Amino acid sequence: MSRTIKIYLIALVVMFAAVTVIEFSKPRPLNWTKTFNETHKHPFGTFIFYSELRNLFPYSEVKDLGVTVYEYFNGSYNWERNDYDIHGTYIYLDEAMEMDEISAGELLDFVSYGNDAFISSGYLPQIIKDSLDINLEVDYNLTGKADLYLVNSRIRADSTRIERGLTNIFFSEVDTLNTIVLGTQRFNKERKVNFIKVEYGDGYFYLHLQPVIFTNYYLLRGKNKEYAAGVLSYLSDETIFFDSRNKNRNFLSQSPMRYILSQPALRWAWLMGLLSILAFILFNAKRKQRIVPVLKPNENSTVAFTKTIGNLYYETRDHTNIIDKKITYFLEHIRRVYYLDTQLLDERFMKSLAMKSGKNHSIVKKLINMIAHLKAKPTPDENDLLELNHAMENFYNN
């Protein structure tokens, strides 16, 4: 190797090292994405809010949903008592509340049984707006800074100002018979309603339209934490059910493999080991003849045939097929006994079925919502089958 090539190689290594040092010495840019994720520590995450929930509600137990609202609350519904086994306050923070219609309906049912729901979001599901008789409006002329006010005289001093990340949405129409205004916002001179309390059944919805006030950025600035505490002071000290888009936040922390999977080198070594074992099993299986079991012929009788079919479904764990057959038989029963059209399982159908069958409307609604949920669910499990069977038996027998 000539001297010139050595010089070029040394210069290349020095340049590469210099670029690496410069890149690693640069400060990491702030992430201003509005994630509202309770595990994120960047400005518009909600790590501080989630961490301080137990300090704000020292007498309350904080539980994470981890699944959809329908799966969590419907699983705690007691069909025999016609009530929920759990009670408390549901909390949700996000720029837009992305919730399917069945889960939104389940949340309305949960609140109607004497529970509360605190939602801070600029956009709400249509079924919730219709049920609470409220309307949201966007005014594109409202820009810049905004002052947030609390109406209650005891906490009025906790009012604050926000300058970044705010939304220009406000409540334009509310049901004055069931709604109490708790807070307003002012962009220029005119105040708009942005925080209300709505009675629904035996419970209440607390709706707030500026979720950024609960993010890390604002809770660490000025009097914003006092305003956030004032908003949350309306909530009771019962169990807190915290929900977010981050449904799988607890999955990794509960795994005994969390450290290995968190390190790239160990993760790749683990995967290579699994692949090697799998390859060994596949190649070794080809060289051995499996023992052919001796099977006795099935008895030619109705009982034996029924047991065989039952064992087949049990062994294959084909819960989806069983659920489909039970739903098909149930809908055929409805058509044959009550002469109802089962093509559209809407609210009108539920009312007609409750009236003709003499069943409680809430029981009918729970059963039909469960059927709609299971028909849309890709892979129902054994618990879903048991809950469906229990609900149908409750309908047939009561």
Side-chain angles (χ1 to χ4, degrees):
M1 183 181 296
S2 64
R3 181 178 180 184
T4 304
I5 295 178
K6 291 181 178 179
I7 294 175
Y8 283 146
L9 290 176
I10 294 174
L12 183 61
V13 172
V14 171
M15 290 178 60
F16 179 78
V19 170
T20 303
V21 171
I22 293 174
E23 286 296 324
F24 277 96
S25 62
K26 285 183 178 180
R28 297 180 62 182
L30 285 176
N31 181 8
W32 290 96
T33 306
K34 295 180 182 179
T35 62
F36 294 94
N37 190 313
E38 64 276 14
T39 64
H40 291 175
K41 298 182 180 180
H42 58 68
F44 285 149
T46 55
F47 177 82
I48 295 176
F49 175 84
Y50 180 73
S51 301
E52 293 297 320
L53 266 181
R54 290 168 177 80
N55 295 328
L56 290 170
F57 299 95
Y59 304 105
S60 302
E61 182 182 5
V62 179
K63 295 184 177 181
D64 298 321
L65 264 64
V67 293
T68 64
V69 171
Y70 177 83
E71 291 173 309
Y72 190 88
F73 288 129
N74 185 71
S76 301
Y77 183 81
N78 193 315
W79 291 89
E80 296 178 356
R81 295 193 301 108
N82 195 23
D83 192 9
Y84 289 90
D85 292 330
I86 57 176
H87 293 278
T89 302
Y90 170 84
I91 293 182
Y92 186 91
L93 306 176
D94 207 337
E95 188 173 25
M97 190 176 190
E98 298 177 356
M99 182 179 293
D100 61 272
E101 187 172 341
I102 295 179
S103 292
E106 183 66 30
L107 179 60
L108 289 167
D109 287 344
F110 179 70
V111 173
S112 69
Y113 277 84
N115 301 287
D116 296 333
F118 175 79
I119 302 172
S120 184
S121 177
Y123 299 91
L124 302 173
Q126 189 62 40
I127 186 175
I128 292 181
K129 293 190 291 184
D130 293 340
S131 300
L132 302 183
D133 197 14
I134 60 176
N135 189 35
L136 300 178
E137 186 175 334
V138 180
D139 189 346
Y140 296 100
N141 295 322
L142 303 179
T143 57
K145 303 176 182 178
D147 295 312
L148 305 184
Y149 299 94
L150 294 171
V151 173
N152 193 315
S153 58
R154 295 183 179 180
I155 53 177
R156 188 177 299 167
D158 294 332
S159 300
T160 187
R161 167 174 290 190
I162 57 177
E163 303 175 357
R164 188 169 189 168
L166 68 166
T167 60
N168 51 0
I169 301 174
F170 60 93
F171 293 105
S172 59
E173 294 181 9
V174 295
D175 182 3
T176 56
L177 295 178
N178 300 317
T179 304
I180 299 176
V181 176
L182 302 179
T184 60
Q185 61 189 21
R186 184 181 69 183
F187 281 80
N188 299 318
K189 295 182 178 180
E190 185 178 1
R191 289 195 182 189
K192 304 288 186 180
V193 178
N194 76 324
F195 183 28
I196 60 175
K197 174 184 178 181
V198 186
E199 182 180 0
Y200 186 76
D202 295 330
Y204 296 94
F205 275 89
Y206 296 87
L207 305 178
H208 188 270
L209 300 181
Q210 294 291 355
V212 291
I213 199 67
F214 302 102
T215 59
N216 303 326
Y217 177 76
Y218 281 107
L219 290 180
L220 295 176
R221 292 170 59 90
K223 294 177 57 179
N224 297 320
K225 59 180 179 296
E226 284 83 3
Y227 173 85
V231 171
L232 297 176
S233 65
Y234 288 98
L235 306 182
S236 64
D237 289 329
E238 294 189 76
T239 304
I240 300 295
F241 302 102
F242 187 83
D243 189 17
S244 75
R245 286 182 294 176
N246 187 25
K247 299 297 183 187
N248 297 322
R249 56 184 171 274
N250 295 323
F251 178 76
L252 185 60
S253 62
Q254 295 176 353
S255 172
M257 299 292 298
R258 58 185 179 274
Y259 180 76
I260 292 178
L261 297 177
S262 65
Q263 305 298 318
L266 294 177
R267 183 171 65 250
W268 278 108
W270 172 255
L271 292 176
M272 290 298 294
L274 290 179
L275 292 175
S276 300
I277 294 174
L278 180 61
F280 172 80
I281 293 174
L282 292 176
F283 283 101
N284 190 53
K286 291 181 178 181
R287 292 168 171 79
K288 290 184 179 180
Q289 175 65 40
R290 295 182 180 180
I291 300 175
V292 179
V294 178
L295 300 178
K296 296 181 179 180
N298 294 326
E299 297 179 3
N300 187 16
S301 65
T302 304
V303 176
F305 177 77
T306 303
K307 289 182 178 180
T308 301
I309 297 301
N311 290 333
L312 176 62
Y313 279 114
Y314 180 80
E315 293 295 334
T316 58
R317 301 290 181 179
D318 192 3
H319 303 114
T320 302
N321 198 357
I322 301 177
I323 288 174
D324 288 340
K325 284 182 170 53
K326 290 189 70 66
I327 292 175
T328 301
Y329 177 81
F330 176 77
L331 296 180
E332 174 59 26
H333 174 77
I334 297 302
R335 292 191 294 268
R336 179 170 48 84
V337 176
Y338 302 112
Y339 303 101
L340 292 175
D341 185 7
T342 60
Q343 291 186 354
L344 184 60
L345 305 180
D346 56 5
E347 185 66 25
R348 181 178 179 183
F349 170 80
M350 297 179 196
K351 292 180 179 178
S352 300
L353 179 57
M355 182 176 62
K356 286 193 174 185
S357 62
K359 311 295 182 184
N360 189 288
H361 182 268
S362 61
I363 294 178
V364 173
K365 183 178 180 181
K366 284 284 179 184
L367 177 56
I368 298 304
N369 282 342
M370 181 182 295
I371 289 174
H373 172 70
L374 292 178
K375 290 176 70 175
K377 190 172 183 179
T379 55
D381 54 20
E382 185 176 358
N383 292 330
D384 293 329
L385 176 58
L386 292 175
E387 289 184 7
L388 177 64
N389 183 69
H390 183 71
M392 287 184 176
E393 290 297 327
N394 187 42
F395 178 88
Y396 289 136
N397 297 331
N398 295 333

